[in-house]
Amino acid sequence: MRTLTALLFVTLPAALVAQAPDSSLRPFISVDSPVVAITNVTVIDGTGAPPRTGSTVVMERGHIVAVGAKAQVPAGAQVIDGQGKTLIPGLVGMHDHLFYTAAGGRFVGLAFTGPRLYLASGVTTIRTTGTASAYTDINTKHEIDAGHRAGPHIVITAPYLTGAGQTGSPDMAIVTTPEAARRFVDYWASEGATWIKIYTDITRANLRATIEEAPTSAA
């Protein structure tokens, strides 16, 4: 079974679909018509419902507006024949990184290759779930959101948060008091992080302060 993941327009926010894309994105865009219809395709919608064969999926300016065997193809739409293929929603990665580590202390940042590899795998949203370079992740997200770089939607997690017992991980934030934990949460929330990853050595009191401060910062 050949699978066609719903990646159309994912590299560009919907507001930018009608605009000329950044020249660096052009190699990644095969379809940029404002109205697209995929016909004769099998649809797995992710709800647990059985696959629907012979379906038509219509998208207008980055949004799906009709799905089903009776969906009408709008006049002027670019038509893609999906015969023999299966269309699925973009996958959401809940534990992803924009860096890679290996034995021997090797470290590689993936701000350039990572977003492209996620998209190539059908992953259209990632949650970074800990970072070794927070501003690399934040700036990568901003470039993707602005349509200057190909990549999935990125949900930002703050740097790893741990306690004084942690050794050998210089990229982690070490907090030793509840006040420090609250300052950490407030700062990274203001920078755009919406998740915090707690590592192994944080104390119970500092963990409590982190959890209690998070809703306040989010507000």
Side-chain angles (χ1 to χ4, degrees):
M1 179 180 69
R2 299 181 62 187
T3 302
L4 176 65
T5 306
L7 297 180
L8 299 174
F9 306 121
V10 168
T11 56
L12 290 176
L16 298 180
V17 168
Q19 303 176 19
D22 190 301
S23 60
S24 63
L25 292 182
R26 177 52 59 186
F28 303 98
I29 300 173
S30 59
V31 177
D32 60 359
S33 299
V35 183
V36 178
I38 303 175
T39 61
N40 304 312
V41 71
T42 297
V43 173
I44 297 176
D45 64 13
T47 66
R52 291 182 283 176
T53 60
S55 293
T56 293
V57 178
V58 180
M59 290 168 285
E60 294 183 2
R61 300 189 180 279
H63 297 281
I64 296 174
V65 296
V67 179
K70 296 182 179 180
Q72 299 298 309
V73 177
Q78 179 176 350
V79 178
I80 299 172
D81 186 3
Q83 183 67 43
K85 297 181 176 64
T86 299
L87 188 68
I88 67 172
L91 303 176
V92 177
M94 296 301 292
H95 190 137
D96 301 291
H97 298 293
L98 292 177
F99 68 91
Y100 174 80
T101 58
R106 288 174 290 177
F107 172 89
V108 177
L110 299 178
F112 181 81
T113 58
R116 291 161 172 77
L117 290 171
Y118 283 123
L119 278 186
S121 300
V123 180
T124 58
T125 297
I126 65 169
R127 183 180 63 176
T128 55
T129 330
T131 178
S133 179
Y135 284 109
T136 297
D137 292 3
I138 290 169
N139 292 336
T140 298
K141 171 183 171 58
H142 289 168
E143 289 192 7
I144 291 171
D145 290 348
H148 300 315
R149 184 185 298 199
H153 173 66
I154 298 176
V155 178
I156 294 292
T157 301
Y160 294 88
L161 185 64
T162 189
Q166 185 68 34
T167 60
S169 299
D171 53 350
M172 293 189 183
I174 296 174
V175 295
T176 57
T177 66
E179 292 74 17
R182 286 190 283 269
R183 287 197 303 271
F184 175 91
V185 173
D186 291 342
Y187 176 77
W188 286 108
S190 71
E191 291 297 286
T194 53
W195 289 82
I196 296 172
K197 183 169 183 177
I198 307 296
Y199 216 63
T200 55
D201 289 294
I202 195 167
T203 66
R204 186 180 296 271
N206 294 339
L207 176 59
R208 174 184 287 275
T210 301
I211 294 171
E212 290 177 345
E213 188 69 15
T216 302
S217 297

